[in-house]
Amino acid sequence: MAPSPTSLLLSFDSTLQPFLLPSSSSFPPRPSPSSLARRLIRVASRSIPLASTSRSTTLLTASSTLNDFNFRHDFTHGFILIRPMLDNELDETVQLLAESFSEVMFGTDRYVQLLIFLVKQYIEERLKLVPHTAVLVGFYTETNSSESHLVCTAEVSFDAIGANAAVPTPQPPPDYPYICNMTTKKSHRRKGIAWQLLQACEDLILRMKVKRQVYLHCRVVDKGPFALYTKAGYEVVKRDSIMVWLTLQRRKYLMRKIIPLTNYVQANVRTEDLSTPNDTQVTQQVFKAGDLPPSNDRHPDVKYLPQQNDRHLEVKPEDRPQQLDSHMKSSHLENDDDDDGIF
């Protein structure tokens, strides 16, 4: 029997809280079923092969789509190639994430070695859920150079099976795609790589033929990532309560985007292949208007959902979205998108 999964909360949007659950080997062995129970199991299993075959075919198709995925973008200064992480790239990916977490959470690189152990354990657990989840890595090659370097990574979960058990608050619906742990190497920031990484995540979601309603988190204080997500079409649907400060976490926005059908043409996916044709509708998990900033303090570049008759939260002005500088509103935002490293 496989050991119990490790519940490890790893996200830039929340405090690192590892909780190592006891292995299943510490539990007493299950009693063997009686002869009658075994007979009933054999009878019931006669009707299972068809469903099992269908599920296996679906998983095989999803695995093939994931393994064949490649996203390339050419810059004037080089090009980026984004694809699923290979086994021999685990350590390099862990190093990149650990450095980014240490920089943002502690402001120093003194805790990189500790974070390497925790991040590696987390990613190994997540890889067991492939193809319900995926870890993407991006390799950048400069113009007139033959060397490529791993410079970015992101994690995407596609459904409830691949959903993270320790997802940050505000919690997104578990059965919808969710993007997290996006980071760009410090030496390769402000080159538009984060923008292409986000586009690659959305492109993969389309190719996997899952629901088009995508969720992600963004800290309230992160102007760069917030501007990036807003420009990409994400909307604020909920915000952390002030009480989240008691857990030593920064307040976060839960943001959502419905990938338009026009993107299916770019991803070479037929619209008739959509597995959930009605998923463009807002889920029943409706967020209260009180979770959003008051109307007179709302961000000018954000599309907020229609408000309902609900009380607003009392929020300090410094916790609300601030006005973006003029250069952040320009059409060249993709070159200034990833100055915060991980989000």
Side-chain angles (χ1 to χ4, degrees), residues 136-313:
L136 299 181
V137 290
F139 289 86
Y140 176 75
T141 304
E142 292 185 356
T143 304
N144 301 326
S145 175
S146 58
E147 296 184 0
S148 60
H149 303 277
L150 195 157
V151 298
C152 63
T153 183
E155 179 186 330
V156 186
S157 58
F158 304 107
D159 51 31
I161 298 179
N164 197 321
V167 66
T169 58
Q171 293 188 356
D175 54 339
Y176 282 81
Y178 174 70
I179 302 173
C180 66
N181 294 338
M182 291 179 56
T183 184
T184 305
K185 199 170 185 177
K186 191 173 183 178
S187 59
H188 289 75
R189 295 173 189 171
R190 306 187 69 83
K191 293 184 178 180
I193 292 177
W195 175 267
Q196 299 304 325
L197 180 60
L198 181 59
Q199 298 303 308
C201 292
E202 295 180 0
D203 187 72
L204 177 59
I205 290 172
L206 294 180
R207 294 179 185 274
M208 294 295 285
K209 300 177 183 178
V210 294
K211 297 179 179 180
R212 297 186 294 112
Q213 192 165 298
V214 187
Y215 290 84
L216 52 79
H217 284 98
C218 180
R219 297 198 313 177
V220 173
V221 297
D222 292 333
K223 298 180 181 180
F226 184 79
L228 169 69
Y229 296 144
T230 301
K231 184 176 185 294
Y234 287 84
E235 303 173 343
V236 174
V237 294
K238 194 173 183 180
R239 181 185 54 182
D240 265 332
S241 167
I242 297 178
M243 302 303 293
V244 77
W245 286 338
L246 298 178
T247 62
L248 303 180
Q249 299 182 33
R250 294 277 191 173
R251 302 182 70 191
K252 301 170 294 297
Y253 292 120
L254 177 64
M255 306 184 73
R256 180 185 65 202
K257 175 182 179 179
I258 300 177
I259 305 178
L261 290 173
T262 54
N263 289 25
Y264 279 85
V265 178
Q266 301 175 6
N268 297 321
V269 178
R270 300 181 303 171
T271 54
E272 56 267 28
D273 290 335
L274 297 180
S275 58
T276 52
N278 296 325
D279 69 346
T280 57
Q281 299 178 358
V282 178
T283 60
Q284 296 300 318
Q285 186 175 349
V286 179
F287 301 110
K288 298 180 180 180
D291 296 323
L292 302 177
S295 57
N296 58 338
D297 290 308
R298 294 191 176 184
H299 200 292
D301 292 341
V302 178
K303 300 177 182 178
Y304 291 90
L305 295 181
Q307 290 199 10
Q308 301 176 358
N309 294 328
D310 197 1
R311 297 183 59 186
H312 297 300
L313 291 176

Side-chain angles (χ1 to χ4, degrees), residues 316-335:
K316 296 182 179 180
E318 58 269 20
D319 297 324
R320 296 170 179 159
Q322 303 297 320
Q323 296 287 339
L324 292 178
D325 297 333
S326 58
H327 77 279
M328 298 295 286
K329 298 181 182 179
S330 67
S331 59
H332 302 288
L333 180 60
E334 57 268 23
N335 293 326

